Amino acid sequence: MSTIENLRIAIVHEWFANYAGSERVVEQILNLFPKADLFAVVDFLEDSKRDFIQNKKVTTTFIQNLPFAKTKFRQYLPLMPLAIEQLDLSAYDLVISSSHAVAKGVLTGPHQLHISYVHSPIRYAWDFQHQYLKESNLERGIKSWIARWILHQMRIWDTRTANGVDLFIANSEFIARRIQKAYRRSAKVIYPPVDLQSYALWEQKQEFYLTASRLVPYKRIDLIVEAFSQMRDRQLIVIGDGEQMAKIRAKASVNIQFLGHREPEELCSYMQNAKAFVFAAEEDFGITPVEAQACGTPVIAYGRGGVRESVRGLDSDRPTGIFFAEQTAASIRAAVIEFEKNGDRILPKDCRDNALRFSTERFQREFREFVDRVWGDR
């Protein structure tokens, strides 16, 4: 039987357009298997930002060359199932897909092993469909019915192509439950890697709260801003940019400061000094709350999704944060007040120690051990 080192390995990712959470996973998989070839629906990474994929050439699909694809490739989602199936991976022994939309749908044969690391089944086609339609103003009319039909077809395709995956890995227990719900398949949980070395423990905190995110609807930064606009004696700093900037700014009072995009080193400094990090999204895992904890900073978070696994609440012996039950401004306000009453129970060192569970080294070890075992069991 071939050893892992001698295998022909393909890594399939959705698209390469920036460097975010799912790309960090690809980066570490590629560090484990540096001879692997890369495939994606599209690749629009700038030359100066290709270090994390070792400056490799990425084999892409026909969507790469469609009109306006560089800036509007997500609008070609209805074509992506067809596109991903056109990638020829027949020469490879091991196929590893990094999937939050269509990457797991690549075609493989019975002689190949296909392992899919799933960041989430397609959110907007499954349990987030109604939220997606509402946020996109697609609740009524002919466009709404077209969108609903497309999402219906995506669900059928998504379920069918799960049969082509030999083994699933989920990025959290929360996503493992989504996989079971959507595909009726079990999944091994391997938490994503977090670059903890870039976020040092800092025990001296200042009197401001922090949130940092892309300003897009599902992140619910608008609710955080609304909550702090009703607590004008508390300072909030918002880091990030996006399509909702103008809408969110309109809700802000004078105690809220918008800093826009900041480079990682500067973001780290704010995380280190913040009194607490506020997080209102329902995320598959959520890397920023772990980064905040790595700095010794407590987290005030919406209590659903992967954050329930990365943050320890007040019911823990060594808590690292506080959860709020509803995505509302009132619930966030109540959580901030509760935090201020109980904040002395949350120690910076406990936050840091908890974050260490999600190190890059731990990810590499668990992922490599999993691949070695399942290939050896063939």
Side-chain angles (χ1 to χ4, degrees), residues 43-310:
D43 171 20
F44 291 117
L45 284 174
E46 299 175 15
D47 290 342
S48 61
K49 298 180 179 179
R50 304 185 69 84
D51 289 354
F52 78 93
I53 58 168
Q54 303 174 15
N55 295 302
K56 283 179 176 281
K57 181 182 183 300
V58 179
T59 300
T60 58
T61 71
F62 65 84
I63 292 178
Q64 179 82 19
N65 300 313
L66 292 180
F68 310 109
K70 187 170 184 177
T71 56
K72 304 289 186 182
F73 64 86
R74 289 178 179 83
Q75 295 187 13
Y76 288 114
L77 177 67
L79 295 178
M80 288 186 185
L82 174 63
I84 205 75
E85 291 176 347
Q86 306 315 305
L87 292 173
D88 183 2
L89 304 179
S90 58
Y92 296 92
D93 305 301
L94 172 62
V95 175
I96 301 171
S97 58
S98 162
S99 187
H100 58 76
V102 299
K104 80 168 196 354
V106 290
L107 302 180
T108 56
H111 66 286
Q112 298 172 291
L113 179 65
H114 179 186
I115 299 172
S116 186
Y117 188 98
V118 176
H119 308 279
S120 176
I122 310 173
R123 301 176 191 90
Y124 30 85
W126 291 99
D127 48 325
F128 276 24
Q129 172 184 296
H130 300 294
Q131 179 179 330
Y132 164 75
L133 292 172
K134 181 178 180 180
E135 291 171 353
S136 303
N137 294 317
L138 290 172
E139 291 183 283
R140 296 179 179 82
I142 187 64
K143 288 185 178 180
S144 173
W145 286 109
I146 293 172
R148 292 170 192 273
W149 182 84
I150 290 172
L151 293 173
H152 174 70
Q153 295 301 315
M154 290 291 293
R155 284 191 292 275
I156 294 172
W157 179 87
D158 196 31
T159 303
R160 178 182 62 77
T161 56
N163 294 325
V165 177
D166 295 292
L167 295 153
F168 281 103
I169 301 174
N171 71 353
S172 64
E173 295 287 353
F174 176 65
I175 292 305
R177 293 192 293 273
R178 261 194 188 153
I179 290 170
Q180 178 64 38
K181 190 88 170 179
Y183 308 146
R184 293 301 173 189
R185 297 280 299 278
S186 60
K188 165 74 173 177
V189 175
I190 300 179
Y191 292 114
V194 182
D195 180 17
L196 301 176
Q197 300 305 315
S198 298
Y199 296 86
L201 174 64
W202 194 263
E203 300 199 22
Q204 302 302 317
K205 304 302 180 183
Q206 298 182 22
E207 288 298 317
F208 68 87
Y209 292 86
L210 174 71
T211 190
S213 170
R214 289 178 294 119
L215 302 187
V216 294
Y218 86 95
K219 295 289 188 178
R220 303 319 310 263
I221 304 300
D222 58 326
L223 294 179
I224 299 173
V225 168
E226 185 179 337
F228 277 85
S229 292
Q230 298 166 3
M231 298 185 292
R232 299 197 176 194
D233 56 338
R234 297 170 175 89
Q235 184 183 5
L236 173 70
I237 292 178
V238 180
I239 292 179
D241 206 347
E243 64 191 60
Q244 284 206 310
M245 174 63 88
K247 178 181 177 182
I248 293 173
R249 271 185 179 275
K251 294 186 174 186
S253 54
V254 294
N255 58 312
I256 299 171
Q257 185 178 6
F258 291 84
L259 300 184
H261 173 75
R262 287 292 184 269
E263 293 302 318
E265 297 80 8
E266 194 173 358
L267 171 60
C268 175
S269 177
Y270 280 101
M271 279 188 170
Q272 289 173 324
N273 286 282
K275 187 173 184 176
F277 184 82
V278 188
F279 188 77
E282 180 181 333
E283 282 279 20
D284 312 324
F285 175 71
I287 286 178
T288 49
V290 178
E291 293 171 339
Q293 290 175 89
C295 297
T297 300
V299 176
I300 301 172
Y302 177 48
R304 286 184 62 178
V307 75
R308 295 290 308 195
E309 300 163 52
S310 64

